[in-house]
Amino acid sequence: IARLAIKFGVAVGAHPSFPDPAGFGRRELHKSPDDVENLVVHQVAALAGVVAAEGGYLTHVKPHGALYNMAARDRKLADAVARGVALFNPKLILVGLSGSCLVNAGCDAGLSVAAEVFADRAYERTGILRSRSLPGSVIDDSTAIVERVLQMVHDRTVLAVTGELIEVNAETICVHGDTPGAGQIAVAIREGLEKSGVALAAPR
């Protein structure tokens, strides 16, 4: 995958998670901040070595799954993630949920940050993502997704599941690879953004 990304000029980022292969990293585990800092350093370093062997380099780090969601609302975990990234390479961009503890922790650690919005996930009124255990948490209608993305980018708002408009800062957009039709959704989002006058660029 790293080889293909480098070949086609795609920025490569690390996606560290809790050590939970059976749960695909989407189950909340209770780890100390020190444990989280260490796992971030080790996982980012492992991928950086693979990418370097292929002649490329990492540009960003985005925690995965439960670690991402927990760090979005828990400042101690967010600080641990940011410390791990900064310890390995303070020039890496930290990706975090718009308006979350993770973005704030990255800024306070002196990292460049990218505030993220989610094209294919529903939001609660608090700005966090709706739990996957609840109905309506994943959105797979490409037309609805493109409309949501355009609203998030141009109006800086998104409609929560409870009907409120919440503010977001869309510096980078996530589409999950396991969302049905993810490839086509990504293409539709790109086309919609470009038609609306938005220029897209990889993080550097």
Side-chain angles (χ1 to χ4, degrees):
I1 293 174
R3 185 178 301 138
L4 286 172
I6 294 164
K7 178 180 177 180
F8 290 101
V10 176
V12 182
H15 207 29
S17 74
F18 287 131
D20 178 33
F24 195 57
R26 287 178 174 160
R27 297 184 295 191
E28 292 195 358
L29 303 182
H30 298 288
K31 298 289 185 181
S32 71
D34 285 345
D35 286 342
V36 168
E37 179 181 341
N38 288 333
L39 74 83
V40 168
V41 172
H42 293 154
Q43 292 182 30
V44 173
L47 181 60
V50 172
V51 175
E54 296 295 336
Y57 58 91
L58 294 182
T59 63
H60 58 285
V61 176
K62 174 191 168 179
H64 166 69
L67 177 58
Y68 180 97
N69 290 325
M70 292 174 73
R73 61 180 188 265
D74 184 326
R75 183 57 193 255
K76 290 183 178 179
L77 287 184
D79 285 336
V81 171
R83 285 196 305 271
V85 174
L87 182 62
F88 179 74
N89 183 352
K91 295 183 180 180
L92 291 171
I93 300 167
L94 177 61
V95 177
L97 180 66
S98 171
S100 72
C101 289
L102 192 54
V103 170
N104 295 334
C107 290
D108 289 347
L111 297 168
S112 295
V113 299
E116 183 174 43
V117 295
F118 285 74
D120 55 1
R121 292 293 309 281
Y123 283 77
E124 299 289 358
R125 63 178 179 81
T126 57
I128 66 170
L129 301 179
R130 186 169 178 81
S131 171
R132 286 179 177 268
S133 65
L134 297 175
S137 61
V138 177
I139 303 164
D140 58 11
D141 182 300
S142 60
T143 300
I145 286 173
V146 172
E147 291 175 355
R148 281 165 51 87
V149 168
L150 292 176
Q151 179 180 335
M152 288 190 281
V153 171
H154 292 294
D155 299 341
R156 299 169 68 90
T157 63
V158 65
L159 190 67
V161 291
T162 46
E164 296 94 344
L165 279 177
I166 56 177
E167 294 183 1
V168 291
N169 182 21
E171 294 178 327
T172 185
I173 301 164
C174 175
V175 177
H176 288 89
D178 58 350
T179 294
Q184 292 82 359
I185 289 170
V187 170
I189 289 171
R190 184 183 186 99
E191 290 176 348
L193 287 170
E194 289 178 340
K195 287 179 181 177
S196 73
V198 177
L200 284 76
R204 300 294 182 193

